[in-house]
Amino acid sequence: DQDGREFILREALKRIDQDFDYIIVDCAPSLSLITVNALSAVHGVMIPMQCEYYALEGLTQLLSTIRLVQKLFNTKLMIEGILLTMFDARTKLSVEVQQEVRKYFKERVYKSYIPRNIKLSEAPSRGQSIFEYDVRSEGAKAYAALAKEVILQNEGVNK
């Protein structure tokens, strides 16, 4: 039976969501059943976006997917923010993509961004988070700053 297949994850998370302050569901930005399940189950979406040219096209497609899920399955779904990743201030492209995204999405773009960082690339190959692998790296500092920003943002919303 195919009825309700878009809500499998939502039903599973209902059993545990009171046990956590945050539940992060990481999935591909494609319109697959897994992604639709994730978007149907969550309250908000953080959109990571590489500071590269084709990422702008991917963002447009993802926004269409989010609008479709909002319409069909989850009217409460919100875009929490856009996270710029693989940012390299030395390249003109990164700076231009960042400016374009900030111009269009304004305050929806997190102030924190994730830099291009070799330690971030190495950590998964060691089976470790960046905080286990090298807590002093620029990548770890960036993710810690993002976590703080998200928490402060949500405290403001929940007051």
Side-chain angles (χ1 to χ4, degrees):
D1 188 1
Q2 299 290 316
D3 287 344
R5 65 189 184 146
E6 297 86 4
F7 304 109
I8 293 169
L9 183 60
R10 180 191 296 179
E11 294 306 313
L13 290 177
K14 277 184 184 176
R15 294 190 290 265
I16 63 165
D17 69 349
Q18 296 302 312
D19 299 336
F20 299 93
D21 293 327
Y22 296 91
I23 298 174
I24 298 172
V25 180
D26 186 7
C27 56
S30 63
L31 185 55
S32 68
L33 183 57
I34 293 171
T35 303
V36 171
N37 255 272
L39 292 173
S40 297
V42 299
H43 303 290
V45 179
M46 175 188 291
I47 302 172
M49 189 188 136
Q50 293 180 7
C51 290
E52 298 185 2
Y53 176 74
Y54 287 113
L56 291 169
E57 287 182 23
L59 180 59
T60 303
Q61 293 170 348
L62 180 59
L63 292 173
S64 295
T65 300
I66 290 169
R67 280 193 292 276
L68 183 63
V69 170
Q70 286 171 321
K71 183 178 175 183
L72 297 176
F73 306 119
N74 187 355
T75 57
K76 296 178 182 174
L77 180 63
M78 292 178 37
I79 297 173
E80 297 290 332
I82 297 172
L83 174 63
L84 298 169
T85 66
M86 296 187 157
F87 180 76
D88 187 343
R90 301 169 299 175
T91 68
K92 185 177 177 184
L93 181 60
S94 273
V95 172
E96 287 175 354
V97 169
Q98 180 216 172
Q99 289 171 343
E100 191 68 22
V101 172
R102 288 189 189 281
K103 183 175 99 178
Y104 186 76
F105 291 100
K106 300 182 179 15
E107 69 280 345
R108 281 203 167 154
V109 182
Y110 291 102
K111 290 175 183 63
S112 304
Y113 61 86
I114 308 304
R116 190 173 291 277
N117 179 257
I118 192 66
K119 298 292 185 182
L120 286 172
S121 300
E122 293 172 349
S125 68
R126 305 294 194 285
Q128 296 178 316
S129 76
I130 190 60
F131 299 105
E132 295 164 315
Y133 185 65
D134 188 349
V135 72
R136 292 184 306 261
S137 70
E138 290 304 311
K141 291 175 188 173
Y143 273 109
L146 173 66
K148 185 175 184 178
E149 184 176 351
V150 168
I151 290 166
L152 289 172
Q153 176 180 313
N154 283 313
E155 283 179 354
V157 169
N158 295 325
K159 281 189 177 181

